């Protein structure tokens, strides 16, 4: 909760009718909220839409007038609810979904830009350590969100090879997951 | 790794894709319930996946265009004194996948292009699919103009709403920038383009799925191409050569030379090939960082050489940097930047090379500097400068 005082200041200024505070609020929380939304909806466009709609509503309906303490818990909660609503429930997977939310909520720490940047660097370092082929395939699948088949076409290899390489990358990264988590706590 | 584990990966991915069917679900669920260790594996993989998705998202978020979108939908607009940061700051160079500048040096060609145009040559013009031409007034820096298909103009920037790729053929828009102006465009895939004076760009308002993202350039432009490996980005320069963006993180820029098309790469890789050829990695020219590819329009070949990047990107900051540059090139660049005509009959001077750096000088100041440093005499009459 590093940003508490900034957050409170913004709220005070918004209530005073200071419009610059609205831009400050956007600068402070837009990216963290998008990242947070992605945890639940797993779609870039949807995440940004949800957060943008919230910012528009926040201003148009003067929602800040109803907030007494810090703004961030309100924003994060709203984003989570809306992102979960989007998550079209697949009746087959409801039970696993419950389990999944427990997993992703496990790391429910406050998201701020500074820790996002640190995390980004560490994670990229881990990717760079992967063997070249699995690295490229991992990037295509996770970072570019391509389907196995698209990746297979692009690299001119079989779908099974894609799967094998992708699994290798994941299990390597899994080995370093503890290190990543540890590093983030220390840093 | 066991075969079984590979299958589980697939199931985890299908779960994430939401494409898991009932049978697969039963397999995954049974496997999860079999062993506490399995649950640990599953949650670890899920966490790895989520973490990496987040960082890749972090790279892709464009705060400035989000802010534009938000402010355009507020029922009581926020104060105009709240400035939107310029898209093309130095820092942003490293944020995007690909950056390049394509320059046509054929000055005479542009001359005709801008002189003959029906629209007032002092304003930026947008031609829509049906041929109508809209004038984009950039003088009012804070007006927001809504144009069809959710494009928003804000001062000297036109932003298309980010859309998913379309299945069918699309509409084309064409922006023409007159001498004396520069203009920013954000395409519907998130690619950012800065058009230099006396240039035009034709592009689809929405790109087509499973096809290359193709745009047509005449003149000089700086691109920050949004990374999408499934849809290569191809710039067709002057209907002569194609510049195709490959790889992940790289920057390109180009530099005008008479009768040449030059492309300068800042980081990563691009490939170039004559438009008539189909793209084939084996017969295209690959460029590595810090190098410039020059296409000789007459002899129809590429040559590659090491180059100083700053010289070619200076215009983005409104600067001009000349190193051993022939006067005729300097003259053309000044004409474009300041929307003036410079007449020089001294052929010896045309070929002489000079070193110079210009920042925010007016044309009068610039001419004064040239005069004092190189002993050039001139007269200014309205928009024409005559050298003596």
């Amino acid at each position: 909760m590093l940003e508490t005082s900034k957050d409170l200041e913004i709220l005070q200024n918004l209530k005073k009718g200071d419009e610059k505070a609205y831009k400050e609020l956007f600068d402070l929380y837009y990216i963290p909220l998008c990242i947070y939304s992605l945890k639940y909806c797993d779609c870039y466009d949807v995440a940004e839409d949800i957060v943008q709609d919230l910012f528009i509503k926040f201003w148009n309906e003067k929602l800040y007038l109803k907030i007494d303490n810090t703004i961030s818990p309100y924003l994060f909660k709203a984003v989570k609810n809306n992102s979960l609503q989007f998550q079209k429930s697949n009746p087959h997977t409801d039970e696993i979904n419950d389990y999944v939310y427990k997993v992703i909520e496990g790391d429910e720490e406050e998201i701020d830009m500074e820790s996002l940047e640190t995390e980004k660097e560490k994670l990229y370092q881990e990717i760079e350590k992967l063997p070249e082929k699995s690295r490229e395939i991992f990037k295509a699948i996770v970072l570019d969100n391509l389907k196995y088949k698209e990746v297979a076409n692009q690299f001119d290899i079989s779908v099974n090879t894609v799967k094998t390489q992708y699994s290798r990358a994941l299990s390597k990264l899994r080995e370093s997951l503890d290190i990543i988590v540890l590093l983030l706590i220390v840093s | 790794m066991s075969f079984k584990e590979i299958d589980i990966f697939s199931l985890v991915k299908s779960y994430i894709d939401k494409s898991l069917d009932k049978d697969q679900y039963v397999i995954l669920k049974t496997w999860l319930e079999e062993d506490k260790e399995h649950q640990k594996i599953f949650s670890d993989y899920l966490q790895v996946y989520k973490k990496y998705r987040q960082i890749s998202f972090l790279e892709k978020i464009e705060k400035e265009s989000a802010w534009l979108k938000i402010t355009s939908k507020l029922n009581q607009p926020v104060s105009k004194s709240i400035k939107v940061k310029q898209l093309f700051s130095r820092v942003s160079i490293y944020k995007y996948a690909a950056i390049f500048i394509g320059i046509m040096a054929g000055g005479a060609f542009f001359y005709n292009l801008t002189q003959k145009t029906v629209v007032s040559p002092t304003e930026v013009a947008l031609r829509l699919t049906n041929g109508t031409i809209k004038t984009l007034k950039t003088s009012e820096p804070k007006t927001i103009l809504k144009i069809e298909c959710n494009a928003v103009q804000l001062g000297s920037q036109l932003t298309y709403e980010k859309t998913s790729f379309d299945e069918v053929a699309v509409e084309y828009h064409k922006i023409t920038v007159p001498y004396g102006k520069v203009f920013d465009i954000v395409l519907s895939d998130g690619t950012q383009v800065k058009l230099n004076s006396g240039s035009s760009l034709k592009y689809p308002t929405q790109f087509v799925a499973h096809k290359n993202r193709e745009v047509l350039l005449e003149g000089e432009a700086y691109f920050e191409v949004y990374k999408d490996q499934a849809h290569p980005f191809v710039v067709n320069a002057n209907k002569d050569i194609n510049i195709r963006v490959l790889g992940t993180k790289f920057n390109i820029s180009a530099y005008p030379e008479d009768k040449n098309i030059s492309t300068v790469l800042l980081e990563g890789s691009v490939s170039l090939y004559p438009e008539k050829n189909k793209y084939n990695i084996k017969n295209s020219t690959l460029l590595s960082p810090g190098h410039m590819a020059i296409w000789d329009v007459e002899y129809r070949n590429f040559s590659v050489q090491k180059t100083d990047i700053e010289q070619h990107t200076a215009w983005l900051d409104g600067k001009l940097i000349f190193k051993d540059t022939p006067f005729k090139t300097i003259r053309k660049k000044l004409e474009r930047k300041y929307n003036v005509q410079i007449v020089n009959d001294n052929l010896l001077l045309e070929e002489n090379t000079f070193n110079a750096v210009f920042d925010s000088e007016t044309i009068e100041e610039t001419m004064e500097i040239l005069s004092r440093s190189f002993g050039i005499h001139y007269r200014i009459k309205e928009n024409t400068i005559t050298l003596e």
Side-chain angles (χ1 to χ4, degrees), chain B residues 104-117 174 179 198-200 217-219 237-239 258-259 332 336:
Chain B
M104 311 311 16
F109 178 81
F110 274 126
Y111 231 96
N112 293 337
L113 191 99
T114 43
Q115 299 290 310
K116 282 181 189 161
T117 172
K174 184 177 176 182
Y179 279 20
S199 307
S200 74
L217 173 71
E218 286 170 355
N238 217 9
K239 293 188 182 144
D258 269 355
K259 293 172 182 168
K332 273 181 196 153
R336 289 189 191 129

Side-chain angles (χ1 to χ4, degrees), chain B residues 249-302:
Chain B
K249 284 210 160 192
F250 54 91
N251 309 318
I252 316 169
S253 83
Y255 171 67
E257 296 261 323
D258 269 355
K259 293 172 182 168
N260 288 327
I261 296 172
S262 42
T263 306
V264 175
L265 182 60
L266 281 79
E267 199 185 296
S269 80
V270 297
S271 53
L272 305 99
Y273 54 100
E275 190 213 22
K276 291 199 184 85
N277 300 3
K278 228 184 143 192
Y279 171 69
N280 180 335
I281 192 137
K282 287 190 197 88
N283 57 27
S284 51
T285 302
L286 284 172
L287 210 51
S288 50
H291 288 74
M292 165 164 70
I294 300 171
W295 168 254
D296 189 306
V297 174
E298 194 182 345
Y299 292 98
R300 311 203 56 73
N301 59 22
F302 284 107

Side-chain angles (χ1 to χ4, degrees), chain B residues 94-336:
Chain B
Y94 302 101
K95 253 179 71 185
Y96 300 92
I99 299 180
F100 59 87
I101 296 178
I103 297 176
M104 311 311 16
F109 178 81
F110 274 126
Y111 231 96
N112 293 337
L113 191 99
T114 43
Q115 299 290 310
K116 282 181 189 161
T117 172
V118 244
V119 189
S120 152
T122 57
E123 293 291 350
V124 176
L126 170 67
R127 203 185 70 200
L128 310 177
T129 320
N130 61 12
T132 358
I133 293 175
K134 266 184 185 290
T135 302
L136 305 181
K137 288 211 166 63
T138 53
S139 44
E140 264 289 326
K142 271 142 202 160
T143 39
I144 294 178
L145 174 70
K146 274 230 164 203
I147 296 160
E148 63 169 20
C149 66
N150 297 327
V152 176
Q153 186 208 349
L154 192 94
S156 62
Q157 182 178 312
L158 184 63
T159 305
Y160 287 81
E161 190 179 359
K162 205 159 176 186
T163 48
S164 50
F165 287 45
D166 208 339
E167 290 299 333
V168 287
V170 278
E171 308 212 332
Y172 283 89
H173 282 182
K174 184 177 176 182
I175 288 272
T176 305
V177 182
Y179 279 20
K181 285 211 157 70
V182 293
F183 196 79
D184 295 338
I185 307 164
V186 181
L187 300 175
S188 64
D189 65 337
T191 292
Q192 303 179 8
V193 188
K194 194 178 190 95
L195 274 176
N196 204 351
S197 317
S199 307
S200 74
L201 185 78
K202 190 176 168 185
Y203 49 89
T205 57
Q206 200 173 357
F207 291 98
V208 182
H210 317 299
K211 289 253 167 72
N212 290 344
R213 293 172 284 166
E214 287 171 1
V215 301
L216 255 80
L217 173 71
E218 286 170 355
E220 178 170 19
Y222 167 92
F223 290 83
E224 295 189 349
V225 173
Y226 191 86
K227 193 180 135 199
D228 180 351
Q229 293 190 342
H231 302 94
F233 195 93
V234 179
V235 179
N236 179 291
N238 217 9
K239 293 188 182 144
D240 199 356
I241 61 165
N242 283 339
I243 299 137
R244 184 179 191 270
V245 180
L246 305 168
T248 49
K249 284 210 160 192
F250 54 91
N251 309 318
I252 316 169
S253 83
Y255 171 67
E257 296 261 323
D258 269 355
K259 293 172 182 168
N260 288 327
I261 296 172
S262 42
T263 306
V264 175
L265 182 60
L266 281 79
E267 199 185 296
S269 80
V270 297
S271 53
L272 305 99
Y273 54 100
E275 190 213 22
K276 291 199 184 85
N277 300 3
K278 228 184 143 192
Y279 171 69
N280 180 335
I281 192 137
K282 287 190 197 88
N283 57 27
S284 51
T285 302
L286 284 172
L287 210 51
S288 50
H291 288 74
M292 165 164 70
I294 300 171
W295 168 254
D296 189 306
V297 174
E298 194 182 345
Y299 292 98
R300 311 203 56 73
N301 59 22
F302 284 107
S303 59
V304 174
Q305 64 189 61
K306 240 187 146 42
T307 190
D308 170 38
I309 284 163
E310 210 194 342
Q311 225 188 113
H312 307 293
T313 51
W315 70 274
L316 298 172
D317 300 329
K319 289 186 202 164
L320 291 172
I321 299 179
F322 300 114
K323 281 178 192 159
D324 299 325
T325 311
F327 184 77
K328 58 182 178 190
T329 308
I330 298 178
R331 188 170 54 81
K332 273 181 196 153
K333 285 209 169 192
L334 292 175
E335 284 182 338
R336 289 189 191 129

